[in-house]
Amino acid sequence: MLDVMSDKTIALVTGANKGIGFEIAAGLGALGWSVGVGARDGRRGADAVAKLRAAGADAFGVPLDVTDDESVTAAVRLIGERAGRLDVLVNNAGVAGGWPEEPSGLDLATVRRLLETNVIGVIRVTNAMLPLLRASAHPRIVNQSSHVGSLTLQTAPGADLGGISGGYAPTKTYLNAVTVQYAKELSGTGILINNACPGYVATDLNGFSGTQTPAQGAAIAIRLATLPDDGPTGQLFDDNGVVPW
């Protein structure tokens, strides 16, 4: 298997069984890459893999709950045995809270749940996958962020980012801050790490109220996953370019 995979770019997309994550996997698969479909639900993951394979993609299932240490360790072992390295990690898995949601009325259990997936889960998976990424000649990490995580946009006069979000939005701000620190640590290693803003995409996270399709939302993550070696790192991007922190 390692010989077979040696000429293919190997990617892992977390939360790839539906929505934007599925479309990111489909887009990377269309490039001829071998794409791991990270999914917490085994049946949904298998269905997604079957659908991607039917479309011609080289997809394989990766059972993965980003909130569980043992699950992440098993995912590292699976990819290591399959390919011996990981070229691209897309941290797409995420959960949303209520919206609008005032901070004065936040349930702390909700805050912990959001942080566990949207921030701690990204750190957990990234740190576990770093040895495999270091084995790649062109490693890339893409974190799924959001415009609502930008403090500049949130505080701009007249800005309308969908109302108050005391739970979800701050987790994306935290993720942005963590990404900056990763970029500092990984400077000079060849590992490029950036955050993607998919836009207001119609998914189950927002009750399918978005104005863009999942395929449109996936475009920026795919672009960041395919950056050249002299590409940017430690920044936040949407389809129009750099987004201010």
Side-chain angles (χ1 to χ4, degrees), residues 53-197:
R53 287 179 177 171
D58 179 11
F60 61 97
V62 181
L64 180 56
D65 179 350
V66 303
T67 69
D68 183 80
D69 289 336
E70 291 184 4
S71 177
V72 173
T73 298
V76 172
R77 184 166 56 249
L78 186 155
I79 295 172
E81 292 174 351
R82 181 180 178 88
R85 73 179 194 283
L86 181 62
D87 300 302
V88 173
L89 169 63
V90 181
N91 287 306
N92 169 77
V95 293
W99 204 298
E101 191 170 50
E102 296 179 345
S104 61
L106 279 173
D107 174 62
L108 294 184
T110 297
V111 175
R112 293 187 181 97
R113 179 178 64 86
L114 293 171
L115 284 170
E116 187 61 46
T117 297
N118 297 351
V119 181
I120 298 172
V122 172
I123 296 171
R124 177 182 286 111
V125 174
T126 299
N127 290 352
M129 295 292 171
L130 272 176
L132 291 176
L133 286 162
R134 294 184 190 278
S136 169
H138 310 283
R140 306 287 180 264
I141 302 172
V142 182
N143 297 328
Q144 197 71 279
S145 187
S146 170
H147 291 101
V148 302
S150 166
L151 294 178
T152 298
L153 297 182
Q154 283 281 9
T155 56
D160 180 12
L161 294 175
I164 297 172
S165 172
Y168 175 78
T171 67
K172 293 304 183 180
T173 304
Y174 192 169
L175 177 61
N176 290 346
V178 169
T179 298
V180 169
Q181 301 308 313
Y182 270 117
K184 290 180 178 181
E185 179 184 356
L186 298 173
S187 176
T189 67
I191 300 177
L192 304 183
I193 179 169
N194 291 286
N195 285 8
C197 295

Side-chain angles (χ1 to χ4, degrees), residues 11-18 21-22 25-26 34-42 44-50 52-53 57-64 78-79:
L12 170 65
V13 184
T14 68
N17 60 284
K18 61 181 179 178
F22 178 85
S34 182
V35 183
V37 176
R40 182 174 53 182
D41 185 297
R44 291 179 178 175
D47 288 347
V49 169
L52 289 167
R53 287 179 177 171
D58 179 11
F60 61 97
V62 181
L64 180 56
L78 186 155
I79 295 172

Side-chain angles (χ1 to χ4, degrees), residues 202-216:
T203 69
D204 57 359
L205 263 69
N206 56 35
F208 299 96
S209 62
T211 56
Q212 293 178 274
T213 66
Q216 290 172 321

